[in-house]
Amino acid sequence: VVANGSDVVSCTSESDNAYNSFSGTSMSTASATGSVALLYQLQNTLQPGVTLLSSTIKGILIHTASDLGNTGPDYQFGWGLLNIKAAADLIYDNSNRNYKI
């Protein structure tokens, strides 16, 4: 899977309210890691004590990724762009709750 790393707005050290646009793996990695952490938190909120295995998270991310480039997995985009909203909806559906984010 891939994560957005182009023109991501982030804070800078220039002042307390300074922001700038950055690109690269440093931006996409932070986005992907933070998003996965939020999915773990969502799972714990919906089903306390039911921890997702890393292989389960991987499967959820692959299953819910938005396909890019050629249809299906390919060498440039893998399984596609992370779609954390779709992943969260899948976790909600699995928890038998009647609402979505």
Side-chain angles (χ1 to χ4, degrees):
V1 294
V2 295
N4 181 25
S6 297
D7 299 322
V8 178
V9 176
S10 183
C11 57
T12 66
S13 61
E14 296 166 3
S15 72
D16 290 343
N17 59 355
Y19 294 89
N20 204 343
S21 178
F22 300 97
S23 295
T25 56
S26 294
M27 301 310 294
S28 61
T29 302
S31 171
T33 307
S35 296
V36 170
L38 290 173
L39 291 177
Y40 274 109
Q41 182 180 8
L42 175 64
Q43 171 64 24
N44 188 52
T45 299
L46 295 173
Q47 295 178 310
V50 180
T51 304
L52 297 177
L53 298 173
S54 59
S55 57
T56 305
I57 285 288
K58 178 181 176 182
I60 290 170
L61 295 176
I62 288 171
H63 177 73
T64 58
S66 299
D67 197 17
L68 298 173
N70 297 324
T71 303
D74 58 60
Y75 73 94
Q76 189 171 9
F77 298 105
W79 291 92
L81 179 67
L82 289 178
N83 186 335
I84 301 304
K85 167 76 166 87
D89 286 344
L90 188 65
I91 291 172
Y92 266 114
D93 290 345
N94 185 59
S95 72
N96 297 318
R97 301 287 175 126
N98 293 325
Y99 55 90
K100 293 191 181 200
I101 56 172

